[in-house]
Amino acid sequence: MKTSYLEKFSLVGKTAIVTGGAGILGAHFCSGLADAGANVAVVDINMEAACKVATSIQSIYGGHIVAFECDVTSEESVRKMVRDVVSEFGEISILHNNAAGKSSNLDAFFADFEDYELEQWKEIMSTNLDGMFLVAKHVGSVMKEQQKGGSIIQTASIYGVMGPDQRIYEGSHYLGRQINSPAIYSASKAGVIGLTKYLATYWAKDGIRVNAITPGGVESGQNDTFKENYSNRIPMHRMAQPEEMVGALIYLASNASSYVTGQNVIVDGGLNAW
């Protein structure tokens, strides 16, 4: 009997939620899931941006693509979003827990560790980790009730796995301002990996697989100095393009990874191997 291995990557008939769906990576993640055949809930705190992404994806890939507004730091907002998705699509097969925080005060966000304010720490942690907890809690509960299993993929970061090389930030700018990688970012993303491993073992008996994707540096508006400094740390000697993260997501979302859970798939051009 012939086995179709490529069919295992198909997401036809499945419904996927992507939080942070209107973001730099989020829009590519939503597009990839739609291209693989999934119905997609484009979830973002910015409803206008989510609607634009959903409309664009619908026009290119077809399928059932709907935008939903959600503040992942609010349990009531998460609860309502999950109810609305189930009402729209009938069930949830895939969750890409992808939303991450943007500071309301960039000076505070990029402050030196010795001067870092606790309120800024809490603000970022609230989205990057508390938000992951809330969305996983409510979507996982639905998956468990459905008794059909499911796949949850959570976005971490290379700096949740290893510390940043502070030297690459000398003369480095992003969208016109000096940048660094603050400790809160590393701590929150390391927490995502820990949560992923916990939930993988917790929900394994229910057929719900939980994995993480860890992107390396993605080109998205950094100046040439940063790009050169970062690329010099990468065996492949370049930053990633956003679309290069999508293949890992489709694999983890699909039956092609049916025996994969509790893993952190690192897509970093070889950085952590050096």
Side-chain angles (χ1 to χ4, degrees):
M1 180 178 178
K2 179 182 177 181
T3 299
S4 177
Y5 296 99
L6 287 180
E7 282 183 8
K8 293 181 182 293
F9 290 89
S10 172
L11 300 178
V12 172
K14 297 182 181 296
T15 294
I17 290 176
V18 180
T19 63
I24 294 171
L25 292 180
H28 286 276
F29 287 136
C30 291
S31 296
L33 292 167
D35 193 21
N39 303 314
V40 182
V42 182
V43 176
D44 204 278
I45 195 170
N46 185 333
M47 185 59 172
E48 182 181 356
C51 287
K52 288 181 180 178
V53 169
T55 300
S56 174
I57 293 172
Q58 181 93 48
S59 68
I60 296 170
Y61 298 102
H64 192 177
I65 318 295
V66 182
F68 296 85
E69 184 176 7
C70 182
D71 176 359
V72 299
T73 69
S74 163
E75 185 155 21
E76 182 50 43
S77 183
V78 171
R79 187 182 287 114
K80 180 180 185 302
M81 178 272 291
V82 173
R83 285 199 306 263
D84 290 347
V85 171
V86 172
S87 177
E88 177 72 29
F89 294 102
E91 64 178 25
I92 303 169
S93 314
I94 300 157
L95 165 63
H96 187 193
N97 217 354
N98 174 65
K102 294 182 179 178
S103 176
S104 58
N105 183 341
L106 291 180
D107 289 333
F109 179 70
F110 289 120
D112 292 338
F113 182 76
E114 295 85 352
D115 301 320
Y116 220 82
E117 297 178 0
L118 180 59
E119 288 308 309
Q120 178 65 187
W121 181 281
K122 289 180 177 179
E123 178 184 336
I124 302 303
M125 190 66 78
S126 178
T127 302
N128 287 9
L129 192 53
D130 298 354
M132 291 269 183
F133 153 68
L134 289 173
V135 176
K137 170 185 173 181
H138 288 283
V139 174
S141 296
V142 169
M143 287 180 173
K144 188 173 179 179
E145 290 171 3
Q146 291 171 169
Q147 297 184 340
K148 296 180 180 180
S151 178
I152 296 174
I153 305 101
Q154 309 200 114
T155 303
S157 167
I158 192 63
Y159 290 153
V161 175
M162 59 189 294
D165 182 345
Q166 301 295 339
R167 295 171 298 180
I168 70 173
Y169 295 101
E170 296 175 6
S172 295
H173 292 76
Y174 178 67
L175 299 179
R177 69 165 295 136
Q178 178 72 39
I179 57 171
N180 59 48
S181 185
I184 180 57
Y185 186 76
S186 290
S188 62
K189 291 301 187 177
V192 171
I193 296 169
L195 178 63
T196 297
K197 291 179 180 293
Y198 179 91
L199 293 178
T201 58
Y202 183 78
W203 278 326
K205 66 183 183 303
D206 302 299
I208 301 170
R209 299 183 297 106
V210 187
N211 294 286
I213 291 176
T214 283
V218 177
E219 191 170 328
S220 60
Q222 302 90 345
N223 69 342
D224 290 340
T225 298
F226 180 87
K227 292 176 187 177
E228 182 178 355
N229 289 347
Y230 190 90
S231 297
N232 286 337
R233 292 282 286 113
I234 307 298
M236 293 183 72
H237 204 258
R238 64 177 177 86
M239 297 188 73
Q241 297 301 311
E243 60 269 21
E244 292 182 296
M245 303 296 147
V246 177
L249 174 64
I250 294 172
Y251 168 67
L252 292 173
S254 72
N255 289 335
S257 60
S258 58
Y259 197 55
V260 178
T261 195
Q263 302 305 304
N264 179 29
V265 178
I266 301 175
V267 188
D268 70 348
L271 173 60
N272 81 106
W274 234 352

